[in-house]
Amino acid sequence: GIASYLVKPIRQAELLQAICQILRKTNHVPLPQPEFTLLGEKQALNILLAEDNKVNQTLAVRLLKKWGHTVTIAENGQEAVETLENGEFDLILMDVQMPKMDGLEATATIRMKERTSGARIPIIALTAHALNGDRERCIEAGMDGYVSKPLSRK
Ligand code: MN
């Protein structure tokens, strides 16, 4: 029976928008009903986050959920490959350094599997080191983009 939701920390504009939408609803004025009421025109994505560090997980999940996206966490590369096989995702955020299977190996594995399936999911690397040829290594492994940690909103 909850009419809407907000993700903390709450912004004034979001609170106002939520209240206005609910009040309009109770006045029986028909409104367009997007899946995520606070997102406006933006598209909500189903994102797979492969990241072993709890702090980085929390930070990324908070940001992405605030923007209305759905996030599934994989704790390492192996788990990312398995999770991808059992779900439909629009994007992968892939930490480079992870236990069991790192992000480069996981990406190479995913790209190899895609050769038979014909699919191609965008993969963005999350790396702690923005230097020393990391970018080239990520692109060589089949990643599409590259973000340095710590993650910032921008
Ligand atoms: Mn890591």
Side-chain angles (χ1 to χ4, degrees):
I2 292 172
S4 185
Y5 70 90
L6 296 166
V7 181
K8 291 191 279 189
I10 293 168
R11 294 177 164 216
Q12 197 177 341
E14 289 173 353
L15 179 61
L16 179 64
Q17 191 184 353
I19 291 170
C20 289
Q21 274 182 337
I22 289 160
L23 289 179
R24 264 178 274 161
K25 245 181 236 170
T26 56
N27 286 337
H28 305 292
V29 176
L31 275 178
Q33 294 293 317
E35 191 177 353
F36 292 89
T37 52
L38 301 180
L39 264 184
E41 299 295 308
K42 280 191 227 162
Q43 190 191 358
L45 301 175
N46 203 11
I47 298 173
L48 176 58
L49 172 68
E51 168 66 67
D52 62 306
N53 181 286
K54 295 287 176 199
V55 176
N56 291 329
Q57 277 178 12
T58 306
L59 185 69
V61 167
R62 192 186 299 156
L63 265 178
L64 296 169
K65 283 195 172 170
K66 196 172 169 63
W67 293 333
H69 303 302
T70 304
V71 188
T72 304
I73 293 172
E75 304 279 347
N76 58 62
Q78 180 102 54
E79 216 179 286
V81 172
E82 288 164 9
T83 307
L84 184 63
E85 279 175 7
N86 299 316
E88 296 255 325
F89 295 94
D90 301 303
L91 172 74
I92 303 176
L93 296 178
M94 183 80 81
D95 181 23
V96 173
Q97 291 178 307
M98 290 185 287
K100 287 188 189 173
M101 185 190 279
D102 69 20
L104 299 174
E105 197 184 339
T107 300
T109 305
I110 290 165
R111 292 301 183 225
M112 205 160 64
K113 286 174 187 281
E114 284 178 343
R115 276 185 216 164
T116 44
S117 71
R120 196 179 193 285
I121 190 164
I123 301 176
I124 297 175
L126 306 176
T127 176
H129 313 286
L131 303 168
N132 302 330
D134 250 28
R135 189 184 303 261
E136 287 73 20
R137 285 170 62 217
C138 292
I139 301 304
E140 264 170 39
M143 291 172 173
D144 302 283
Y146 176 101
V147 179
S148 334
K149 291 192 283 188
L151 278 185
S152 77
R153 199 186 144 81
K154 191 182 172 192

